[in-house]
């Protein structure tokens, strides 16, 4: 059986997907989200191979693979949704309720089980009328799967939108990178989904032109696989960094500021103010402690700094620290930390000890993790690009 150019491209991309899945499965950190994405890569690769060989000759030789392409897509939506949820979660753990998302897969498996249990001869008899079997591929089962995809991808996008504001208030740069990557990823998935649904119904209703693109639209899946692979290599922090969240005893990255007993409230009083405005006196103390700590310890140089880690280092609850930032300083956590980083970049640019550093090297020393983020933040806060600022600073007065 000779392979067409399209089949070669699809199979090659699918093999790349399997390799990427192995990479994701073996990451030692951020395991749950990486493994869920790895499972998506495996399923997409298997489905791509089945679509690339979607012809009578192939299925007559391997009849037990027929209708497998009906079952695999029932896992796409749930896995993508769970991947999104675990990636943006503070404490990504598998919950018992997560198994409920696989109910469509179980129900469809039970529905298809009578066919799967048939003998090879019985399946070949059915496939002998291949035109009818192809027509069945565009029947109610796969129409319902399209609805399932739309529901789950929409839920993933909605969850991401809700997460965006929390990122600004609680996380520093790495989580911002993840947020942008996830936005791009879900946008690509959404484009693929919309095009797939349009081509599905165009083929179902024999609409000329668009219906002829069936199988070719899986080239988009290959693009998605290679794009994820590129991101894994160019920005490994997206996949290798520990999930951000409350620091554990083993994860403490910052020295703890000693806190005199007189500076804090009693446990009972702290609980009283946990969900209300801080008293002015305590808010003043927290603000002074925060600003002194930022100046003396320079925690913003930690590229993965989170509000949870900073609050723990200050012996202040995350809730109270967030109140100080928002109410007293008028900043979200992301902007507050990046203001210090930009100021540190300016200082280091004039420090002779760093004269041999590139601008990007200095940005990394100051706590920035990404060139794109550094350029955008620096331009937003100074009105100049880093290169423009360096050029003006170098001119003699």
């Amino acid at each position: 059986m000779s392979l067409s150019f399209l089949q070669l491209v699809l199979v090659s991309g699918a093999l790349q997907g399997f390799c990427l899945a192995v990479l994701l499965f073996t990451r030692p950190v951020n395991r749950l989200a990486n493994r869920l994405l790895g499972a998506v890569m495996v399923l997409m690769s298997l489905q791509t191979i089945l679509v690339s060989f979607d012809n009578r000759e192939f299925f007559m030789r391997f009849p037990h693979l027929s209708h497998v392409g009906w079952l695999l897509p029932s896992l796409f939506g749930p896995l993508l949704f769970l991947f999104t949820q675990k990636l943006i979660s503070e404490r990504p753990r598998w919950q018992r309720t997560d198994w409920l998302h696989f109910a469509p897969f179980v129900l469809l498996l039970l529905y298809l089980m009578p066919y799967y249990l048939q003998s090879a001869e019985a399946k070949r008899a059915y496939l002998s009328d291949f035109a009818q079997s192809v027509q069945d591929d565009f029947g109610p089962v796969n129409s319902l799967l399209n609805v399932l995809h739309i529901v789950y991808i929409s839920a993933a996008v909605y969850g991401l939108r809700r997460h965006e504001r929390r990122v600004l208030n609680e996380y520093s740069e790495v989580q911002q990178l993840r947020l942008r990557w996830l936005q791009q990823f879900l946008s690509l998935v959404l484009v693929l989904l919309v095009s797939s649904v349009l081509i599905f119904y165009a083929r179902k209703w024999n609409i000329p032109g668009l219906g002829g693109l069936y199988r070719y639209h899986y080239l988009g899946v290959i693009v998605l696989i290679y794009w994820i692979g590129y991101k894994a290599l160019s920005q490994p922090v997206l996949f290798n960094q520990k999930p951000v969240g409350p620091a554990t005893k083993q994860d403490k990255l910052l020295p703890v500021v000693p806190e005199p007993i007189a500076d804090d409230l009693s446990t009972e009083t702290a609980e009283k103010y946990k969900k209300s405005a801080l008293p002015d006196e305590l808010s003043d103390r927290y603000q002074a402690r925060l600003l002194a700590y930022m100046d003396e310890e320079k925690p913003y140089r930690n590229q993965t700094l989170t509000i949870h880690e900073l609050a723990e280092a200050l012996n202040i609850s995350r809730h109270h620290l967030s109140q100080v930032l928002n109410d007293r300083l008028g900043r979200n956590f992301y902007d507050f930390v990046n203001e210090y980083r930009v100021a540190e970049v300016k200082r280091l640019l004039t420090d002779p000890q760093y004269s041999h550093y590139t601008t990007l090297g200095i940005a990394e020393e100051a706590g920035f993790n990404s060139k794109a983020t550094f350029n955008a933040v620096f331009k937003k806060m100074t009105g100049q690009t880093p290169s423009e600022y360096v050029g003006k600073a170098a001119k003699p007065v």
Side-chain angles (χ1 to χ4, degrees), residues 175-214:
Q175 192 70 352
Q176 284 284 325
L177 289 174
R178 282 210 186 99
L179 177 63
R180 284 195 295 273
W181 178 85
L182 194 53
Q183 289 170 332
Q184 294 168 358
F185 174 72
L186 289 180
S187 296
L188 287 173
V189 170
L190 195 58
V191 169
L192 282 174
L193 175 60
V194 171
S195 62
S196 297
V197 170
L198 290 175
I199 292 171
F200 174 89
Y201 286 105
R203 178 73 177 269
K204 178 182 175 70
W205 297 325
N206 295 318
I207 298 176
L210 190 60
L213 295 178
Y214 181 72

Side-chain angles (χ1 to χ4, degrees), residues 52-122:
S52 66
F53 291 101
D54 187 9
N55 56 61
R56 186 178 185 279
E57 179 184 359
F58 177 80
F59 285 114
M60 290 298 282
R61 290 182 62 181
F62 305 101
H64 291 304
L65 292 178
S66 60
H67 288 187
V68 172
W70 291 20
L71 184 63
L72 296 182
S74 65
L75 292 170
F76 290 168
L79 285 173
L80 284 170
F81 172 77
L82 289 171
F83 162 69
T84 303
Q85 291 299 302
K86 303 308 177 185
L87 192 64
I88 66 179
S89 174
E90 289 184 7
R91 297 181 178 179
R93 299 173 181 172
W94 189 263
Q95 307 290 336
R96 290 182 180 179
T97 53
D98 291 336
W99 291 110
L100 295 176
H101 295 287
F102 298 99
F105 170 80
V106 174
L107 292 174
L108 185 55
L109 178 61
L110 292 175
Y111 174 78
L112 293 173
M113 190 58 69
Y115 179 82
Y116 291 150
L117 294 177
Q118 289 182 17
S119 65
E121 290 73 18

